[in-house]
């Protein structure tokens, strides 16, 4: 463009910088938000309105934040910002899970095990609390840097007095309904952490285990097998040889048919369906089936065989016997169709054994070692040995005695402790449980889930199936750092003491002084008249040492936080966490809430996937594939992370690496440049309220573009409401790149740059540009928190909703309702299709040499439209297609199909606007001549 005409142009100018400098500028903006309490202003703006309470699931106070943390907190902030813009008051109280084994383990590592074991419980708890506080502050700073608005100065922490009291408050409510009991049942036991674990604390990974087939000598003979009584055996299969010292029964399927196989002078029982496979596997030769008097193979069902007995495989010489029982869960997929059962080492075996009165034997101590001794209840020959260490010894021992049929190693999924990552064992211990069925908790929980909205909708099946299948909840743990289970033991008679009077006293004690008092105070000093044993009348009560499962601890936040804080409400509108929380926090919150109140603690649940590296692998420091959110904020900036979160489908596992974030950075720059482009023609030049045209006064092309913008905004609104952030991102990004940058803004910048400053043509374009800019700033505000806030400084006054900060904006009100814009969309689409035909024809004309100028402004088009499209794009009131195509002229024809021919433009190039037009005596096109004349 010739320099002499620059002063006559409306060239873009804005203070909104091209370079974002996010890493340097975001902390300054964050400091301003804190200094001016933008979070408080956001709440005050919607004071008195309906609330939207997104209850924060507490991350564990352990180490700096990771990418999963960032995805979680950014997602929550996006939702809160959106609903605040929609007029809801959105109080957001962040929280931390501060109890539990990892913190205690770190303290033990810091002190050394010997010194740790010498410390009194109250000192260990003091050190654990100190470590938790330090970790909370580290994570809090990381979350704030992400641009998350919250009540950071008053979070909820699971170790404070009121929270301790709430643990017991909910415990009492469920206890009073009869759902809590103490029992000796098999639970997941971590021999490394020395504590019981709930299902939510278990991870599954592959382990190699010894699978063995063993023959047990029978001491009874089923009907029809009496002649073989002295040589009768039952063949079993197990993947845990170390449980054989606790063997009490063999389990058969009740309806399966079992046969007797005669081989090498023995008669062995096995499932008929597996007989041929097993005999081949065992290398048996000359096998015969025992037959009855009629010559038919003998057979009996599991139900018919129930009650038969056999010599206990380890202690049979001492007269110990096991019994045949049956259960539906025995399958005919593997083994012999008969499994050995140690009720003390498995929940299914325990439940089956209880139905038949089978005793529970437990020969294994807290360390996973066999008790020393010679009889049942000990490890016998392997006393003092660790159970897995004993496996090969037991197999060798069986082989020496002719009991081992076959040994093979198998790879299978096995439970591990989610903290220390070591394999766990099932072990019967005396623990506290919440019954799933005694008071109908399972049924109530499933009913409540049917009233909860799940995002994605199918995720309800996951938690539903877990509720359906979960065993009674083991809520006791054997640690120091946690909330005590409020039970006492009478020192005079050994009775467990717990009742409403003692529970009320403990609630009051914890609320006033905290749960540390449990370990330091004499119960008589705070129980008063409740310090009495109801069985013997004694007054010498001793506190028990079990603590509550940390999932209980975090699960009662619905009361400790949502019910106890006046600015929140119960049930919460939403819980949002990773998909693993279906068996974790979502589950424990559901159980404690339904158990106490009969209702779910949440109205909706958003389930998210995990963050993985670019190759789909779990992130770990050892692989060197970790994306550190703090480091990203210090280099790329928090808004890049926020944009990444919005760009992926968080309902599934999402990949992230440096390359992916680089692409997100490119997208960010295109979005930022579009905002800057729009500001360039509006800042200080045009204010919608004073200078804008009414919708009906817009030029046809502008009105069509505005209709499309309104449609885009409605699509974005629906995506936000469905928590599909990736749809928000994709809709806005595609709109910016495809429809704004390449088409509408590119087409109308000629009017904006070259038109007369106050002309209707320019004001019409600026009106739509203003709406587009306002829509983009508003619609991106929940995602690009820092960038939209930066843009607020440069927005024309009427686009700011009277606010200083972007977080305080109201949701964008489109100038056209659906009933107004939808009739225009067919015309808009017709332009899009026609422009596509023109672009293709231009490329062909350029390639063939029909046109030589490498700009569409130097061309004209002969456009053929179908009848329907012709009616929309031709005649009076039709949009200016030459402007839309950025060419000199479009001649429209009606035909059978859409087609376009591109030819060189008529006229000459105007030196001011660069359009090909008929030029006047001054060398300018008529429009430019008029504008220049008016400025001279």
């Amino acid at each position: 463009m010739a320099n002499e005409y620059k002063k006559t142009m409306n060239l873009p100018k804005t203070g909104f910088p091209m370079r974002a400098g996010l890493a340097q500028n975001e902390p300054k903006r964050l400091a301003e938000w804190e200094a001016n309490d933008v979070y408080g202003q956001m709440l005050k703006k919607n004071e008195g309105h309906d609330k939207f309470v997104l209850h924060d699931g507490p991350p564990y106070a352990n180490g700096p934040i990771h990418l999963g943390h960032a995805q979680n907190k950014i997602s929550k902030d996006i939702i809160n910002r959106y609903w605040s813009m929609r007029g809801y008051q959105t109080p957001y109280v962040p929280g931390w899970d501060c109890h539990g084994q990892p913190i205690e383990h770190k303290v033990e590592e810091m002190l050394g095990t010997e010194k740790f074991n010498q410390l009194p419980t109250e000192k260990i708890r003091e050190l654990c609390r100190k470590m938790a506080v330090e970790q909370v502050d580290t994570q809090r700073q990381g979350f704030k840097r992400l641009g998350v608005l919250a009540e950071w100065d008053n979070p909820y922490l699971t170790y404070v007095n009121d929270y301790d009291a709430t643990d017991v408050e909910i415990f009492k409510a469920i206890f009073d309904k009869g759902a809590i009991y103490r029992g000796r049942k098999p639970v997941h036991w971590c021999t490394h952490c020395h504590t019981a674990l709930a299902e939510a604390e278990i991870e599954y990974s592959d382990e190699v285990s010894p699978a063995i087939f063993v023959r047990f000598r029978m001491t009874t003979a089923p009907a029809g097998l009496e002649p073989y009584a002295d040589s009768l055996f039952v063949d079993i299969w197990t993947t845990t040889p170390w449980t054989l010292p606790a063997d009490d029964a063999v389990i058969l399927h009740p309806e399966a048919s079992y046969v007797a196989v005669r081989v090498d002078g023995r008669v062995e029982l096995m499932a008929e369906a597996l007989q041929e496979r097993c005999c081949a596997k065992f290398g048996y030769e000359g096998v015969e089936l025992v037959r009855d008097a009629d010559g038919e193979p003998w057979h009996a069902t599991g139900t018919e065989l129930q009650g038969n007995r056999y010599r206990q495989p380890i202690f049979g010489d001492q007269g110990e016997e096991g019994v045949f029982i049956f259960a539906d869960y025995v399958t005919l997929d593997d083994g012999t169709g008969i499994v050995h059962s140690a009720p003390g080492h498995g929940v299914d075996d325990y439940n089956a054994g209880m139905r038949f009165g089978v005793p529970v034997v437990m020969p294994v101590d807290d360390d996973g070692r066999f008790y020393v001794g010679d009889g049942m209840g000990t490890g016998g020959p392997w006393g003092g040995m660790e159970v897995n260490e004993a496996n090969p010894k037991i197999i060798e021992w069986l082989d020496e005695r002719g009991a081992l049929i076959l040994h093979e190693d198998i790879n299978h999924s096995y439970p591990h402790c989610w903290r220390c990552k070591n394999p766990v064992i099932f072990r019967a211990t005396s623990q506290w449980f919440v019954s799933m069925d005694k008071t109908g908790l399972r049924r109530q929980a499933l009913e409540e889930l049917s009233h909860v909205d799940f995002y994605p909708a199918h995720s309800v099946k996951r938690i539903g199936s877990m509720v359906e299948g979960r065993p009674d909840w083991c809520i006791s743990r054997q640690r120091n750092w946690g909330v005590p289970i409020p039970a006492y033991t009478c020192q005079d008679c050994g009775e467990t003491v717990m009742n409403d009077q003692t529970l009320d006293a403990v609630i009051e004690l914890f609320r006033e002084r905290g749960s540390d008092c449990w370990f330091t105070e004499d119960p008589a000093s705070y129980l008063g008249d409740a310090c009495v044993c109801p069985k013997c009348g004694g007054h010498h009560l001793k506190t028990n040492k079990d603590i509550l499962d940390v999932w209980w601890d975090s699960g009662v936040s619905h009361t400790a936080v949502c019910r106890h804080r006046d600015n929140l409400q119960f049930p919460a509108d939403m819980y949002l966490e990773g998909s693993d929380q279906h068996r974790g926090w979502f589950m424990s919150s559901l159980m404690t809430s339904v158990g106490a109140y009969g209702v779910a603690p949440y109205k909706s649940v958003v389930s998210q996937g995990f963050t993985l590296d670019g190759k789909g692998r779990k992130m770990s420091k050892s692989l060197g594939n970790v994306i550190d959110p703090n480091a990203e904020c210090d280099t790329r900036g928090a808004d890049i992370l926020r944009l990444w979160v919005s760009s992926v489908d968080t309902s599934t596992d999402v990949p992230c690496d440096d390359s992916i974030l680089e692409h997100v950075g490119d997208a960010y720059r295109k979005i930022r440049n579009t905002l800057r482009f729009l500001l360039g023609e509006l800042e200080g030049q045009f204010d919608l309220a004073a200078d804008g045209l009414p919708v009906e006064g817009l030029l046809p092309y502008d009105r069509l573009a505005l209709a499309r913008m309104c449609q885009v905004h409605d699509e974005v609104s629906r995506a936000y409401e469905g928590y599909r952030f990736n749809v928000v991102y994709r809709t806005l990004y595609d709109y910016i790149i495809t429809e704004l940058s390449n088409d509408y803004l590119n087409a109308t910048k000629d009017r904006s740059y070259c038109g007369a400053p106050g002309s209707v043509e320019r004001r019409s374009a600026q009106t739509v540009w203003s709406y587009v800019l306002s829509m983009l700033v508003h619609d991106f505000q929940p995602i690009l928190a820092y960038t939209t806030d930066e843009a607020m400084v440069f927005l024309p006054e009427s686009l700011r909703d009277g606010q200083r900060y972007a977080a305080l904006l109201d949701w964008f009100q489109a100038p056209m309702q659906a009933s107004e814009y939808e009739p225009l969309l067919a015309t808009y689409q017709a332009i899009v299709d026609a422009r596509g035909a023109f672009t293709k024809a231009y490329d062909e004309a350029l390639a063939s040499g029909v046109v030589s100028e490498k700009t569409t402004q130097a061309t004209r088009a002969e456009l053929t439209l179908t009848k329907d499209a012709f009616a929309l794009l031709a005649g009076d009131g039709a949009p200016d297609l030459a402007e839309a195509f950025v060419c000199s002229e479009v001649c429209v024809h009606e035909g059978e199909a859409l087609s376009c021919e591109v030819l060189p433009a008529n006229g000459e190039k105007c030196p001011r606007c660069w359009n090909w037009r008929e030029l006047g005596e001054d060398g300018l096109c008529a429009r430019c001549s008029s504008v220049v004349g008016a400025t001279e």
Side-chain angles (χ1 to χ4, degrees):
M1 191 174 296
N3 289 332
E4 62 263 29
Y5 295 119
K6 277 190 175 181
K7 62 182 179 182
T8 71
M9 308 284 286
N10 311 304
L11 296 180
K13 52 182 181 295
T14 175
F16 187 70
M18 179 184 295
R19 292 187 175 275
L22 295 176
Q24 295 74 37
N25 294 324
E26 286 175 344
K28 301 172 188 175
R29 197 159 294 280
L30 177 60
E32 184 179 349
W33 293 351
E34 292 181 347
N36 291 280
D37 189 20
V38 170
Y39 169 73
Q41 290 188 52
M42 187 171 72
L43 294 185
K44 188 170 182 59
K45 179 177 77 84
N46 293 330
E47 193 170 15
H49 296 191
D50 289 343
K51 291 181 179 179
F52 178 87
V53 175
L54 196 168
H55 178 42
D56 191 35
Y60 196 74
N62 187 17
I65 67 170
H66 53 66
L67 192 62
H69 285 136
Q71 174 184 301
N72 178 279
K73 282 297 191 290
I74 289 171
S75 297
K76 292 172 179 176
D77 191 56
I78 289 172
I79 292 170
N80 280 329
R81 286 172 179 266
Y82 169 73
W83 285 115
S84 178
M85 294 179 82
R86 296 307 296 250
Y88 288 83
Q89 192 179 44
T90 54
Y92 178 56
V93 178
W96 276 271
D97 189 357
C98 302
H99 286 138
Q101 189 269 340
I103 289 176
E104 187 171 342
H105 181 62
K106 281 196 170 185
V107 170
E108 182 177 351
E109 286 183 332
M110 179 180 68
L111 296 175
T113 300
E114 183 177 352
K115 184 176 181 180
F116 178 86
N117 290 336
Q118 293 171 355
L119 289 179
T121 298
E122 57 269 26
K123 183 60 179 177
I124 292 174
R125 290 170 64 87
E126 177 188 331
L127 293 171
C128 288
R129 183 178 295 103
K130 181 175 182 293
M131 181 168 289
V133 170
E134 293 170 353
Q135 297 298 322
V136 164
D137 193 56
T138 296
Q139 291 190 359
R140 172 166 38 202
Q141 297 310 314
F143 291 145
K144 288 166 70 173
R145 178 64 184 85
L146 294 171
V148 178
L149 296 178
E151 204 166 310
W152 293 116
D153 294 334
N154 188 26
Y156 77 87
L157 307 168
T158 58
Y159 65 76
V160 301
N161 293 5
D162 182 73
Y163 207 107
D164 289 348
T166 302
D167 275 304
V168 184
E169 180 185 331
I170 301 301
F171 184 96
K172 179 191 174 189
I174 300 176
F175 175 80
D176 283 349
K177 291 183 179 180
I180 293 178
Y181 68 94
R182 186 166 176 81
R184 190 165 183 265
K185 297 176 62 175
V187 295
H188 288 295
W189 181 269
C190 180
T191 59
H192 181 265
C193 300
H194 297 106
T195 186
L197 301 173
E199 184 63 35
E201 297 170 304
I202 294 298
E203 295 177 345
Y204 288 86
S205 58
D206 286 349
E207 282 284 324
V208 176
S209 297
I212 60 172
F213 294 83
V214 186
R215 58 178 70 95
F216 294 170
R217 181 177 290 276
M218 295 184 63
T219 57
T220 62
L225 295 181
E226 292 88 352
Y228 307 99
D230 294 335
S231 58
L232 199 56
F233 295 82
V234 57
D235 293 353
I236 65 93
W237 180 73
T238 180
T239 58
T240 52
W242 63 267
T243 62
L244 289 175
D247 175 273
D248 267 334
V250 294
I251 310 180
L252 302 86
H253 191 281
E255 298 172 4
S257 175
Y258 293 87
V259 295
V261 173
R262 186 159 51 189
V263 58
D264 296 336
R266 301 182 306 275
V267 173
E268 301 180 6
L269 300 188
M270 61 186 69
E272 183 176 10
L274 295 169
Q275 174 258 320
E276 290 187 6
R277 187 199 308 175
C278 283
C279 289
K281 190 182 189 76
F282 300 163
Y284 287 174
E285 297 179 354
V287 173
E288 297 180 8
L289 290 179
V290 173
R291 298 179 180 273
D292 59 22
D294 297 327
E296 295 296 322
W298 175 92
H299 64 84
T301 66
T303 302
E304 292 168 339
L305 290 171
Q306 187 266 319
N308 277 280
R309 305 189 73 83
Y310 60 92
R311 292 180 61 184
Q312 207 278 347
I314 308 302
F315 302 106
D317 291 344
Q318 301 174 17
E320 299 290 350
E321 290 186 330
V323 63
F324 282 46
I325 63 176
F326 56 79
D328 288 335
Y329 65 81
V330 175
T331 71
L332 301 181
D333 297 330
D334 296 299
T336 64
I338 306 170
V339 294
H340 122 84
S341 173
H345 289 304
V347 174
D348 289 337
D349 288 3
Y350 172 86
N351 291 331
M354 289 300 97
R355 290 194 294 272
F356 293 96
V358 177
V360 176
V361 176
M362 179 42 55
V364 179
D365 67 13
D366 290 359
D367 294 324
R369 295 183 175 277
F370 286 117
Y371 292 117
V372 175
D374 298 322
M376 284 290 283
T378 75
W382 308 285
M385 194 174 294
E386 194 273 329
V387 294
N388 289 301
E389 179 187 354
N391 265 337
K393 304 292 185 184
I394 293 173
I395 295 171
E396 182 181 359
W397 188 89
L398 292 169
D399 193 25
E400 290 172 352
R401 284 156 180 77
L404 180 69
I405 301 173
L406 180 69
H407 166 214
E408 58 184 358
D409 290 332
I410 63 168
N411 190 292
H412 64 152
S413 181
Y414 192 82
H416 290 64
C417 174
W418 76 322
R419 297 300 191 190
C420 70
K421 309 303 181 185
N422 288 307
V424 301
I425 63 173
F426 266 108
R427 179 170 175 266
T429 58
S430 291
Q431 303 288 345
W432 290 94
F433 296 89
V434 174
S435 171
M436 291 298 298
D437 299 303
K438 184 177 180 182
T439 61
L441 179 56
R442 189 190 313 276
R443 174 185 52 77
Q444 281 185 286
L446 289 170
E447 171 62 25
E448 281 301 302
L449 287 177
S450 69
H451 303 305
V452 176
D453 294 323
F454 281 84
Y455 302 90
H458 64 76
S459 62
V460 66
K461 297 178 182 177
R462 181 169 186 177
I463 190 170
S465 64
M466 289 178 177
V467 171
E468 287 176 346
R470 69 170 293 156
D472 288 354
W473 180 8
C474 177
I475 58 172
S476 50
R477 298 292 181 272
Q478 292 67 48
R479 307 300 301 176
N480 298 289
W481 180 226
V483 176
I485 291 180
Y488 302 89
T489 299
C490 175
Q491 297 187 73
D492 297 326
C493 71
E495 180 77 359
T496 297
V497 178
M498 183 188 293
N499 52 55
D500 280 357
Q501 290 72 37
T502 63
L503 291 171
D504 286 340
V506 172
I507 292 170
E508 182 179 355
L509 174 71
F510 285 6
R511 186 155 283 134
E512 290 181 1
R513 300 171 57 194
S515 60
D516 284 352
C517 294
W518 182 263
F519 303 95
T520 60
E521 301 298 312
D522 182 349
S525 67
Y526 57 84
L527 287 179
D529 294 340
C531 189
V532 59
C533 173
K535 181 178 180 181
C536 72
H539 296 280
H540 304 99
L541 302 187
K542 179 183 179 182
T543 56
N544 291 359
K545 299 305 181 186
D546 288 346
I547 64 168
L548 281 164
D549 174 13
V550 289
W551 289 111
W552 177 290
D553 205 16
S554 60
V556 303
S557 61
H558 53 68
T559 296
V561 185
C562 293
R563 285 174 71 95
H564 285 184
R565 295 204 182 200
D566 293 338
N567 63 328
L568 303 179
Q569 62 190 18
F570 173 89
D573 291 281
M574 177 175 289
Y575 279 31
L576 181 156
E577 299 301 330
S579 56
D580 57 330
Q581 297 308 314
H582 285 280
R583 66 189 181 104
W585 189 59
F586 295 159
M587 178 72 77
S588 64
S589 299
L590 178 70
M591 292 305 163
T592 52
S593 181
V594 173
Y597 309 118
V599 297
Y602 33 68
K603 298 176 184 176
S604 64
V605 169
V606 175
S607 174
Q608 295 194 329
F610 297 103
T611 55
L612 307 172
D613 73 3
K615 297 179 180 178
R617 301 174 300 177
K618 184 177 179 180
M619 291 187 180
S620 69
K621 291 181 179 178
S622 61
L623 290 175
N625 62 349
V626 173
I627 298 291
D628 179 1
N630 291 318
E632 291 302 319
C633 288
D634 290 342
T635 52
R636 290 187 172 94
D639 264 3
I640 302 302
L641 282 177
R642 295 179 69 99
L643 191 61
W644 169 74
V645 170
S646 76
S647 71
V648 295
D649 180 3
T650 54
S651 68
T652 63
D653 292 348
V654 292
C656 187
D657 59 17
D658 189 74
S659 175
I660 290 171
L661 289 177
E662 190 62 38
H663 285 305
V664 173
D666 291 340
Y668 170 82
R669 283 182 283 276
K670 292 173 182 176
I671 294 167
R672 184 181 182 89
N673 287 340
T674 301
L675 297 179
R676 187 171 185 271
F677 185 83
L678 289 162
L679 282 168
E681 287 299 296
L682 299 174
E683 183 189 341
Q685 300 185 58
F686 183 90
D687 190 274
L688 185 62
D691 308 315
L693 299 182
V695 172
E696 58 273 15
L698 297 174
L699 296 186
Y701 185 34
D702 296 326
R703 187 161 58 252
L704 294 173
L706 187 64
R708 172 57 181 152
M709 183 214 74
C710 293
Q711 182 190 33
V712 167
H713 175 66
D714 280 353
E715 291 172 359
V716 167
S717 298
R718 288 191 292 273
Y720 269 122
E721 289 174 15
Y723 311 109
R724 294 172 297 139
F725 310 139
N726 61 316
V727 176
V728 173
Y729 168 84
R730 180 50 58 187
T731 300
L732 290 174
Y733 181 77
D734 288 350
Y735 176 62
I736 286 172
I737 300 303
T738 304
E739 301 182 55
L740 292 182
S741 299
N742 292 341
D743 292 336
Y744 178 69
L745 295 184
N746 184 48
T748 53
K749 70 180 180 182
D750 174 69
R751 255 192 283 156
S752 293
Y753 289 5
C754 302
S759 65
V760 170
E761 291 80 5
R762 184 165 187 259
R763 288 174 61 200
S764 179
Q766 286 177 306
T767 297
V768 178
W769 284 33
S770 292
Y771 281 124
V772 169
L773 175 61
S774 182
M775 185 272 278
L776 291 178
V777 170
H778 284 72
D779 285 13
F780 270 121
Q781 189 278 138
I783 297 168
L784 298 177
Y786 288 104
T787 302
T788 54
D789 200 64
E790 179 186 1
M792 287 285 285
V793 178
F794 308 98
L795 284 183
E797 185 63 35
S798 63
L799 305 187
R800 300 179 193 169
D801 298 347
Q803 302 294 347
R804 177 178 175 184
Y805 300 104
L808 307 182
L809 292 171
D810 295 324
W811 193 237
F812 178 72
Q813 296 300 308
M816 303 170 74
Q817 300 300 312
S819 59
E820 299 172 276
Y821 70 69
E822 285 177 350
L824 301 175
L825 296 178
T827 307
Y828 178 85
Q829 185 59 46
I831 290 182
V832 172
D833 295 340
R835 184 167 46 229
F838 169 81
T839 300
K840 180 182 179 182
Y842 169 73
D843 290 339
E844 292 172 350
L846 194 63
S848 65
V850 171
V851 297
S852 57
E853 295 279 351
K854 292 185 178 180
T855 171
T856 58
Q857 290 169 290
T859 67
R860 59 186 174 89
E862 295 291 333
L863 179 67
T864 301
L865 299 171
T866 62
K867 180 179 179 181
D868 290 342
F870 186 84
L872 296 172
L873 299 181
D876 294 338
D880 184 348
L881 294 182
E883 178 181 51
F885 295 0
V886 193
C887 69
S888 69
E889 180 186 358
V890 177
C891 186
V892 180
H893 313 276
E894 184 178 343
E896 293 298 320
L898 173 64
S899 65
C900 185
E901 181 183 11
V902 171
L903 301 167
N906 297 316
E908 300 174 85
K909 179 180 179 180
C910 175
R912 180 173 180 271
C913 67
W914 296 0
N915 289 311
W916 259 252
R917 300 284 189 265
E918 293 296 328
L919 304 184
E921 293 182 0
D922 58 0
L924 299 175
C925 69
R927 189 268 312 267
C928 287
S929 180
S930 175
V931 174
V932 171
T935 60
E936 290 178 347

